[in-house]
């Protein structure tokens, strides 16, 4: 993968992570800290925000300007009202990022980006499991 291709991938992921972080922050505004959803979703939101910082660092490391855009995931997620629907949507987004990273990893030579993306991949699938547990706990 060339630096240009890597930059395009990293910016695509940055836009997706920014969308997830912003969406989760908006959803958290609808919860009280006492809600059983609050702490797990706050942790996922923090992962998303942290991933943004890591991606920006990786982009700068290869001399590519980080995108300032937010992915469509944010606006789509704002239209959802039911928590089950929101959690399913979040998991689909987490899985998309995980698959995108998994497909690209074999082609990435830059060790810093490769390491960061592997960690991001793993955290996305851990967050999927966290949300699956929340969904299971909310069943009648």
């Amino acid at each position: 993968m060339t630096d240009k291709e890597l930059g395009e991938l990293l910016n695509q992921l940055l836009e997706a992570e920014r969308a997830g972080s912003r969406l989760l922050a908006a959803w958290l505004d609808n919860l009280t800290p006492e809600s059983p959803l609050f702490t797990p979703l706050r942790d996922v939101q923090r992962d998303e925000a942290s991933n943004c910082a890591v991606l920006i660092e990786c982009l700068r490391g290869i001399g590519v300007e980080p995108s300032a855009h937010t992915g469509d995931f944010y606006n789509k997620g704002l239209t959802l009202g039911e928590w089950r629907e929101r959690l399913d949507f979040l998991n689909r987004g987490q899985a998309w990022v995980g698959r995108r990273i998994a497909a690209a990893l074999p082609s990435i030579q830059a060790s810093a980006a490769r390491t960061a993306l592997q960690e991001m991949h793993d955290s996305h699938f851990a967050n999927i499991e966290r949300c699956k547990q929340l969904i299971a706990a909310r069943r009648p």
Side-chain angles (χ1 to χ4, degrees), residues 43-60:
D43 292 345
V44 175
Q45 190 275 334
R46 287 178 177 172
D47 280 351
E48 298 284 292
S50 175
N51 288 339
C52 289
V54 168
L55 289 164
I56 289 169
E57 184 178 319
C58 288
L59 284 158
R60 289 183 176 150

Side-chain angles (χ1 to χ4, degrees), residues 103-132:
L105 278 172
S107 305
I108 298 172
Q109 302 303 315
S111 63
R114 184 177 176 74
T115 300
L117 289 174
Q118 183 63 60
E119 290 172 4
M120 196 176 302
H121 172 273
D122 296 346
S123 75
H124 276 73
F125 285 101
N127 286 335
I128 288 170
E129 290 306 313
R130 186 179 303 178
C131 287
K132 283 181 181 179

Side-chain angles (χ1 to χ4, degrees), residues 93-109:
Q94 293 281 310
W96 180 87
V97 170
R99 287 190 308 271
R100 185 72 181 98
I101 292 171
L105 278 172
S107 305
I108 298 172
Q109 302 303 315

Side-chain angles (χ1 to χ4, degrees), residues 73 80 84-99 124 128 131:
F73 187 80
L80 306 175
R84 169 66 191 252
E85 189 178 28
R86 289 176 175 187
L87 294 170
D88 285 337
F89 182 73
L90 177 61
N91 269 357
R92 286 193 305 274
Q94 293 281 310
W96 180 87
V97 170
R99 287 190 308 271
H124 276 73
I128 288 170
C131 287

